[in-house]
Amino acid sequence: MPGGNSPVLVVTRLDDVTADTVISELNRRKQPVVRLDPGNFPDSVTMTTAIDSCGLSGLLRTATRAMEIGGVRSVYWRRPGMYAAPYGIEGQDGRWCAEEARYGLGGILGALPGAHYVNHPWRNRDAEYKPAQLAAAARCGLSVPPTLITNDPDRARRFADAHGPVIYKPLRETDYLDETGHALTVWIDEVSAESIGDGVAHTAHLFQQRVNKVADIRMTVVGRRLFPVRIDGSPGVDWRRHYEALTYKLDDAPPDVAKGVRAYLDAFGLTFGAFDFGLDAEGRWWFYECNPNGQWAWFPDSITHRITAAIADQLHNPPGAET
């Protein structure tokens, strides 16, 4: 593990305000930081890497920083831009360049010797699949609402009849643009058996029994530290549609839930996770999903500052680091 005053690498886009809060805290601690967006390769990011029987060595350069590949203290993997071809290279040549960048630069960024990742990008990828999330949550002792993933419209209608009220949610937050190029959001919403059309056959759909909730819980977990936030005031299924009506309060997680979420992160090899739960009238926490790279800096400052400090602690003084 690199020690001393070795830098923290923050892999993200320039406009990532959540990463900005962590970088500001690391700067306050006088911890060197290098910010790198793979989407800027090769225009303003260059690499030279040697690999031999001793492992990886070499340099990564951005427009303003240079960094020894073997000297990275920790990596905060946030919201990097997409790998791309240089300007003017299009078509098959452009796609080839982008894929070579992904497996070249991306392979190096995922193999930095001794670095502590929050989270490792390949672990993030593994943990993004909702079927795997729900199965892991059940194995870890968390309560999971009855769920169906199918492209069979008749099976979906029967599920809605048997388990209603039922909600539909997308399996991934995939970019979806309207005819004018504006991004659309596919919200979580309640559906009835009668509203489930034959279009379900076109792809996979996730249906889930609606939790009779009294509040929502967003629990951000950093290492072994838990930050459960109770969210009240949402008049609908998807609280993201009603930010102006919401209130937030730090809460305590029941011991069985705390044990379950830590086991869940261990199962996927994650250091960070943003868990969503529904809280019912009996006090039971129902697992919805865990975003391995979820947002958290929109909370009130008193909560955001605590999470910021916890992430900075992981990066500034990672497990096994020399001080």
Side-chain angles (χ1 to χ4, degrees), residues 1-6 31 73 313 316-323:
M1 172 72 69
N5 213 26
S6 53
Q31 167 64 55
R73 187 177 190 83
D313 288 344
H316 179 66
N317 189 28
E322 298 175 11
T323 57

Side-chain angles (χ1 to χ4, degrees), residues 181-213:
H182 290 94
L184 302 177
T185 298
V186 180
W187 300 106
I188 300 169
D189 215 343
E190 188 171 322
V191 297
S192 64
E194 295 75 21
S195 68
I196 296 174
D198 291 341
V200 167
H202 295 161
T203 191
H205 292 71
L206 188 153
F207 301 94
Q208 190 172 75
Q209 185 176 60
R210 179 176 177 176
V211 174
N212 186 20
K213 66 181 183 179

Side-chain angles (χ1 to χ4, degrees), residues 167-170 186-190 237-238 240-241 289:
I167 60 172
Y168 163 79
K169 62 174 66 174
V186 180
W187 300 106
I188 300 169
D189 215 343
E190 188 171 322
V237 174
D238 194 332
R240 298 172 302 167
R241 306 178 73 169
E289 62 184 277

Side-chain angles (χ1 to χ4, degrees), residues 36 41 45-50 56-62 65-72 105 108-109 112:
L36 183 150
F41 177 83
V45 173
T46 60
M47 64 170 178
T48 303
T49 306
L56 275 70
S57 63
L59 281 175
L60 287 170
R61 293 184 183 273
T62 70
R65 298 284 191 275
M67 179 184 64
E68 291 279 352
I69 285 174
V72 178
L105 177 59
I108 292 166
L109 293 175
L112 297 174

Side-chain angles (χ1 to χ4, degrees), residues 39-104:
N40 292 332
F41 177 83
D43 292 337
S44 59
V45 173
T46 60
M47 64 170 178
T48 303
T49 306
I51 307 171
D52 57 22
S53 57
C54 295
L56 275 70
S57 63
L59 281 175
L60 287 170
R61 293 184 183 273
T62 70
T64 59
R65 298 284 191 275
M67 179 184 64
E68 291 279 352
I69 285 174
V72 178
R73 187 177 190 83
S74 53
V75 179
Y76 186 29
W77 196 279
R78 266 289 302 168
R79 298 292 174 95
M82 296 178 63
Y83 294 92
Y87 179 77
I89 300 181
E90 301 176 348
Q92 183 61 36
D93 288 344
R95 289 189 292 273
W96 188 85
C97 287
E99 286 300 287
E100 289 296 291
R102 177 190 307 278
Y103 287 95

Side-chain angles (χ1 to χ4, degrees), residues 10-302:
V10 179
V11 182
T12 197
R13 297 185 295 251
L14 182 62
D15 60 352
D16 182 0
V17 296
T18 297
D20 291 344
T21 65
V22 175
I23 291 171
S24 294
E25 175 62 19
L26 292 171
N27 288 336
R28 188 188 68 78
R29 301 181 185 197
K30 302 187 185 306
Q31 167 64 55
V33 176
V34 175
R35 186 177 193 144
L36 183 150
D37 183 0
N40 292 332
F41 177 83
D43 292 337
S44 59
V45 173
T46 60
M47 64 170 178
T48 303
T49 306
I51 307 171
D52 57 22
S53 57
C54 295
L56 275 70
S57 63
L59 281 175
L60 287 170
R61 293 184 183 273
T62 70
T64 59
R65 298 284 191 275
M67 179 184 64
E68 291 279 352
I69 285 174
V72 178
R73 187 177 190 83
S74 53
V75 179
Y76 186 29
W77 196 279
R78 266 289 302 168
R79 298 292 174 95
M82 296 178 63
Y83 294 92
Y87 179 77
I89 300 181
E90 301 176 348
Q92 183 61 36
D93 288 344
R95 289 189 292 273
W96 188 85
C97 287
E99 286 300 287
E100 289 296 291
R102 177 190 307 278
Y103 287 95
L105 177 59
I108 292 166
L109 293 175
L112 297 174
H116 174 59
Y117 287 83
V118 183
N119 290 314
H120 195 287
W122 303 338
R123 303 291 82 75
N124 278 349
R125 178 199 60 202
D126 293 344
E128 285 180 343
Y129 295 87
K130 280 191 173 68
Q133 292 181 15
L134 293 164
R139 288 196 304 271
C140 293
L142 299 172
S143 297
V144 176
T147 302
L148 177 71
I149 301 172
T150 187
N151 72 325
D152 183 335
D154 290 334
R155 184 67 184 86
R157 295 181 192 113
R158 293 199 301 273
F159 179 83
D161 281 334
H163 295 282
V166 164
I167 60 172
Y168 163 79
K169 62 174 66 174
L171 286 152
R172 188 177 187 274
E173 295 297 332
T174 304
D175 290 339
Y176 195 100
L177 305 180
D178 65 15
E179 62 276 3
T180 66
H182 290 94
L184 302 177
T185 298
V186 180
W187 300 106
I188 300 169
D189 215 343
E190 188 171 322
V191 297
S192 64
E194 295 75 21
S195 68
I196 296 174
D198 291 341
V200 167
H202 295 161
T203 191
H205 292 71
L206 188 153
F207 301 94
Q208 190 172 75
Q209 185 176 60
R210 179 176 177 176
V211 174
N212 186 20
K213 66 181 183 179
V214 296
D216 292 281
I217 304 288
R218 164 60 71 89
M219 177 153 57
T220 307
V221 184
V222 184
R224 313 311 285 178
R225 298 168 69 179
L226 278 55
F227 300 91
V229 178
R230 176 173 171 146
I231 303 174
D232 288 290
S234 174
V237 174
D238 194 332
W239 53 263
R240 298 172 302 167
R241 306 178 73 169
H242 309 284
Y243 281 109
E244 70 286 348
L246 304 178
T247 60
Y248 309 96
K249 179 184 177 183
L250 271 173
D251 206 345
D252 294 319
D256 60 326
V257 174
K259 179 180 179 181
V261 298
R262 290 182 174 124
Y264 179 100
L265 292 184
D266 290 344
F268 282 108
L270 302 174
T271 299
F272 173 96
F275 291 79
D276 284 319
F277 293 89
L279 176 65
D280 69 17
E282 287 72 43
R284 189 173 184 179
W285 291 37
W286 291 91
F287 173 90
Y288 292 152
E289 62 184 277
C290 175
N291 187 335
N293 203 1
Q295 302 284 29
W296 48 268
W298 45 269
F299 285 131
D301 287 348
S302 59

